[in-house]
Amino acid sequence: QVQLVESGGGSVQAGRSTRLSCVISGRTQGTYCVGWSRQAPGKEREGVATLDDNGRTTYRDSVKGRFTISEDNTKNVLYLQMNSLKPEDTAMYYCAAEGPTCYYSDYDGIELFRYKGQGTQVTVSS
Protein backbone atom coordinates (compact mmCIF):
# COMPACT_ATOMS: atom_id res chain seq x y z
CA GLN A 1 0.00 0.00 0.00
CA VAL A 2 1.46 3.35 -1.07
CA GLN A 3 1.43 5.98 1.66
CA LEU A 4 2.11 9.69 1.31
CA VAL A 5 2.83 12.20 4.05
CA GLU A 6 3.11 15.89 3.26
CA SER A 7 4.98 18.56 5.18
CA GLY A 8 5.98 22.18 4.74
CA GLY A 9 3.66 25.03 3.93
CA GLY A 10 2.32 27.32 6.63
CA SER A 11 1.77 31.06 6.39
CA VAL A 12 3.76 32.99 3.81
CA GLN A 13 3.69 36.56 2.57
CA ALA A 14 2.86 37.24 -1.04
CA GLY A 15 5.91 37.27 -3.25
CA ARG A 16 7.85 34.91 -1.01
CA SER A 17 8.69 31.24 -1.47
CA THR A 18 8.11 27.97 0.31
CA ARG A 19 8.67 24.30 -0.39
CA LEU A 20 6.37 21.38 0.23
CA SER A 21 7.67 17.86 0.76
CA CYS A 22 5.94 14.51 0.46
CA VAL A 23 7.46 11.27 1.71
CA ILE A 24 6.26 8.37 -0.42
CA SER A 25 6.51 4.81 0.89
CA GLY A 26 5.24 1.42 -0.20
CA ARG A 27 6.02 1.65 -3.91
CA THR A 28 6.37 -1.66 -5.70
CA GLN A 29 8.19 -2.29 -8.96
CA GLY A 30 6.54 -0.50 -11.86
CA THR A 31 5.83 2.89 -13.37
CA TYR A 32 4.53 5.61 -11.10
CA CYS A 33 3.22 9.10 -11.65
CA VAL A 34 3.29 11.57 -8.79
CA GLY A 35 2.03 15.07 -8.31
CA TRP A 36 0.37 17.80 -6.30
CA SER A 37 -3.18 19.07 -6.22
CA ARG A 38 -4.81 21.77 -4.11
CA GLN A 39 -8.18 22.79 -2.81
CA ALA A 40 -9.06 26.33 -1.82
CA PRO A 41 -11.99 27.07 0.51
CA GLY A 42 -15.27 26.78 -1.36
CA LYS A 43 -13.61 25.51 -4.52
CA GLU A 44 -13.06 22.14 -6.14
CA ARG A 45 -9.75 20.37 -5.88
CA GLU A 46 -7.50 21.10 -8.86
CA GLY A 47 -4.33 19.60 -10.21
CA VAL A 48 -1.21 21.71 -9.82
CA ALA A 49 1.74 19.73 -11.15
CA THR A 50 2.72 16.18 -12.05
CA LEU A 51 5.92 14.23 -12.71
CA ASP A 52 6.17 10.87 -14.44
CA ASP A 53 8.83 8.16 -14.35
CA ASN A 54 10.53 9.64 -17.42
CA GLY A 55 10.94 13.00 -15.74
CA ARG A 56 8.20 14.66 -17.75
CA THR A 57 6.44 17.42 -15.84
CA THR A 58 3.13 19.18 -16.40
CA TYR A 59 1.78 22.29 -14.68
CA ARG A 60 -1.48 24.14 -14.62
CA ASP A 61 -1.15 27.50 -16.36
CA SER A 62 -1.57 29.62 -13.24
CA VAL A 63 1.58 28.19 -11.63
CA LYS A 64 3.86 27.80 -14.66
CA GLY A 65 7.12 29.63 -14.15
CA ARG A 66 6.52 29.91 -10.40
CA PHE A 67 6.21 26.32 -9.15
CA THR A 68 8.61 23.45 -9.73
CA ILE A 69 7.93 19.79 -9.04
CA SER A 70 10.85 17.47 -8.39
CA GLU A 71 11.87 14.38 -6.46
CA ASP A 72 14.99 13.18 -4.74
CA ASN A 73 17.29 10.53 -6.22
CA THR A 74 15.60 7.74 -4.30
CA LYS A 75 12.16 8.82 -5.54
CA ASN A 76 11.02 8.60 -1.95
CA VAL A 77 10.52 12.32 -1.48
CA LEU A 78 8.50 14.56 -3.77
CA TYR A 79 8.87 18.33 -3.64
CA LEU A 80 6.92 21.34 -4.78
CA GLN A 81 9.00 24.52 -4.80
CA MET A 82 6.61 27.46 -4.82
CA ASN A 83 8.01 30.89 -5.69
CA SER A 84 6.39 34.30 -6.15
CA LEU A 85 3.41 33.17 -4.14
CA LYS A 86 0.09 34.93 -4.54
CA PRO A 87 -2.93 35.09 -2.21
CA GLU A 88 -4.84 32.97 -4.74
CA ASP A 89 -2.36 30.14 -4.09
CA THR A 90 -3.87 29.77 -0.62
CA ALA A 91 -5.17 26.22 -0.35
CA MET A 92 -4.74 22.81 1.16
CA TYR A 93 -2.09 21.06 -0.91
CA TYR A 94 -2.19 17.30 -1.44
CA CYS A 95 0.43 14.89 -2.68
CA ALA A 96 -0.80 12.10 -4.97
CA ALA A 97 0.57 9.01 -6.69
CA GLU A 98 -0.59 6.44 -9.21
CA GLY A 99 1.06 3.13 -10.01
CA PRO A 100 2.55 0.60 -10.57
CA THR A 101 0.99 1.43 -13.93
CA CYS A 102 0.25 5.02 -14.86
CA TYR A 103 -1.69 5.60 -18.08
CA TYR A 104 -2.26 9.34 -17.84
CA SER A 105 0.18 11.59 -16.01
CA ASP A 106 -1.00 15.13 -16.80
CA TYR A 107 -2.03 17.47 -13.98
CA ASP A 108 -5.65 17.54 -15.14
CA GLY A 109 -5.93 13.81 -14.42
CA ILE A 110 -4.45 13.85 -10.93
CA GLU A 111 -7.80 13.32 -9.24
CA LEU A 112 -7.77 9.82 -10.75
CA PHE A 113 -4.51 8.98 -8.95
CA ARG A 114 -5.30 6.27 -6.44
CA TYR A 115 -3.07 7.33 -3.59
CA LYS A 116 -3.36 10.68 -1.83
CA GLY A 117 -1.96 12.25 1.30
CA GLN A 118 -3.81 14.10 4.04
CA GLY A 119 -2.72 17.52 2.87
CA THR A 120 -0.77 20.48 4.17
CA GLN A 121 -2.11 24.03 4.39
CA VAL A 122 -0.50 26.95 2.58
CA THR A 123 -1.79 30.42 3.39
CA VAL A 124 -0.49 33.39 1.43
CA SER A 125 -1.15 36.83 2.86
CA SER A 126 -0.99 40.06 0.89
Side-chain angles (χ1 to χ4, degrees), residues 38 46-47 59-67 86 89:
R38 67 186 180 186
E46 61 184 20
Y59 297 90
R60 70 179 305 106
D61 286 348
S62 61
V63 307
K64 280 181 181 176
R66 300 189 299 123
F67 291 10
K86 304 176 180 180
D89 294 318

Side-chain angles (χ1 to χ4, degrees), residues 96-123:
E98 175 61 36
T101 302
C102 180
Y103 295 107
Y104 187 74
S105 61
D106 286 7
Y107 74 89
D108 59 356
I110 197 171
E111 284 311 296
L112 299 178
F113 287 14
R114 250 176 303 171
Y115 306 107
K116 296 180 175 69
Q118 293 299 307
T120 185
Q121 178 69 36
V122 175
T123 302

Side-chain angles (χ1 to χ4, degrees), residues 32-92:
Y32 283 81
C33 304
V34 292
W36 294 90
S37 61
R38 67 186 180 186
Q39 186 167 21
K43 295 187 177 181
E44 292 187 356
R45 194 176 297 196
E46 61 184 20
V48 174
T50 53
L51 172 67
D52 72 11
D53 256 12
N54 295 316
R56 174 179 171 268
T57 58
T58 70
Y59 297 90
R60 70 179 305 106
D61 286 348
S62 61
V63 307
K64 280 181 181 176
R66 300 189 299 123
F67 291 10
T68 302
I69 187 171
S70 64
E71 59 188 353
D72 73 340
N73 290 339
T74 67
K75 296 191 175 183
N76 290 331
V77 185
L78 181 69
Y79 301 104
L80 184 67
Q81 177 66 40
M82 303 174 5
N83 299 330
S84 302
L85 281 161
K86 304 176 180 180
E88 50 264 44
D89 294 318
T90 295
M92 184 73 81

Side-chain angles (χ1 to χ4, degrees), residues 2-8 20-26 35-36 76-79 93-97 115-120:
V2 176
Q3 293 184 320
L4 306 101
V5 179
E6 303 96 335
S7 62
L20 306 182
S21 300
C22 173
V23 176
I24 303 175
S25 60
W36 294 90
N76 290 331
V77 185
L78 181 69
Y79 301 104
Y93 283 75
Y94 300 90
C95 178
Y115 306 107
K116 296 180 175 69
Q118 293 299 307
T120 185

